[in-house]
Amino acid sequence: MKIFKQLFNFYINSSIHVGLSCYALVRMTQHMFHIFSDEPIANFVFFGTIVGYNFVKYDALARAKKLKMRKELKIIAVFSFFALLLVGFYFFHLQRITQIVAVAFLSITLLYTLPFFPNKKNARNWAGVKIYIVALCWVGVTLALPILNADVSITLDFYLKCIQRFILIFVLVLIFEIIDLANDDPHLQTVPQQIGVKRTKMLGLLLLIPFYFLELLKSNFDENQLIVNLILVIMIALFLVFANEKRSKYYTSFWVESVPIVWWLLLLVFR
C-alpha cells in the first residue's frame, strides 16, 4: 500500500496526470476537426506539458533554495530531463508554423515563471492575471497547435471551440483558486479573493451554460457530443459546488484535472 501511494504521488507530482489531461484535449481537438494520424503533436503536447509544469512548480522554489532535493524530486528532475529530450524529438516532427507558435507559448510559460525585469515579479504573481494566462496557454497548446500542424482551415467552428475551451479551463481554474484560497497570497487577486467563494461558484456555474450551448452553433454538431458535454457540465458543476478550502490536494490535482481525460473517454464510449 505504501508503494502504491508513493507511485501515485509521483504520478501527480511529476505532472504526468496533467500531461495526460492536455493529451486528452489534443485528441478531442483532433476528433472534432477530423484530424487523423498526427501522433507527433499529441506526444509533443504530452511531454511538453510535463516539462512546463514541472518547471513552473519547482523552479521558483529551487532558485529560492527553499526546495530540498529529496529522492522523489531528484527522480522528477531526471524524468523531466528525459521528457525534455522527447519534446525536442517531437518538435522537429512538427510543421514550421506549429514550431513558431509553440515557441511563442514557451515564451509565455517563461514569462509566467521567471522575473524578466529587475525588481519585478513574474507573471504568475501579477494581480488577477494568472487565470487568464493559464486558460490562454491551454487553448493555444491543445487547440491551436493541432489545428495548425494539420493545416486545417480556420473557420467559425475553430473560434467557437476556442471560446468553449477557454471557458472550460477558466472554470476548472476557478475550482483550484477556491481550494487554494487559504494559501494564496492576497496580492494575487484571484477571483475568489476579489468576489468571494459563493459568487465565484455562481460565476463558474453560469459560464457552463454558454460552454454547453456553444456546441449548437457548430456547422455540423454531433448529437453524441451534446450528450457527452451534458455529462461533463454536470460533473464540473458538482466539483465546483463541493469545492472548499478544506478539500484534500487530490481534489484538484487528481479529480479536477481528470475532467479532460474523462471528457475524451466519454467521447470514445459514445461515438
Side-chain angles (χ1 to χ4, degrees), residues 73-187:
L73 292 174
K74 291 179 180 178
I75 296 173
I76 289 174
V78 173
F79 175 73
S80 299
F81 173 74
F82 284 106
L84 180 61
L85 294 180
L86 288 169
V87 170
F89 173 78
Y90 287 112
F91 179 81
F92 290 105
H93 286 76
L94 304 180
Q95 301 288 345
R96 179 59 60 85
I97 183 62
T98 313
Q99 293 176 340
I100 294 171
V101 176
V103 170
F105 282 108
L106 171 63
S107 301
I108 295 175
T109 302
L110 292 176
L111 179 64
Y112 182 75
T113 309
L114 300 175
F116 278 91
F117 307 104
N119 302 318
K120 296 290 184 181
K121 294 181 178 180
N122 54 34
R124 191 180 191 183
N125 293 310
W126 293 352
V129 172
K130 174 184 173 182
I131 190 169
Y132 300 101
I133 293 178
V134 172
L136 176 64
C137 285
W138 275 66
V139 171
V141 169
T142 67
L143 186 59
L145 290 187
I147 294 297
L148 288 172
N149 203 58
D151 197 24
V152 174
S153 299
I154 302 299
T155 62
L156 177 61
D157 284 354
F158 170 76
Y159 295 109
L160 291 174
K161 283 300 176 186
C162 282
I163 297 170
Q164 191 181 49
R165 189 72 54 89
F166 187 92
I167 293 173
L168 172 67
I169 303 305
F170 189 92
V171 174
L172 293 181
V173 176
L174 287 180
I175 301 174
F176 277 82
E177 291 191 344
I178 292 171
I179 300 295
D180 295 337
L181 185 59
N183 300 317
D184 277 341
D185 187 327
H187 297 293

Side-chain angles (χ1 to χ4, degrees), residues 11 21 28 61 90 103 139 185 199:
Y11 170 75
S21 293
M28 288 291 298
L61 292 174
Y90 287 112
V103 170
V139 171
D185 187 327
R199 289 182 178 178

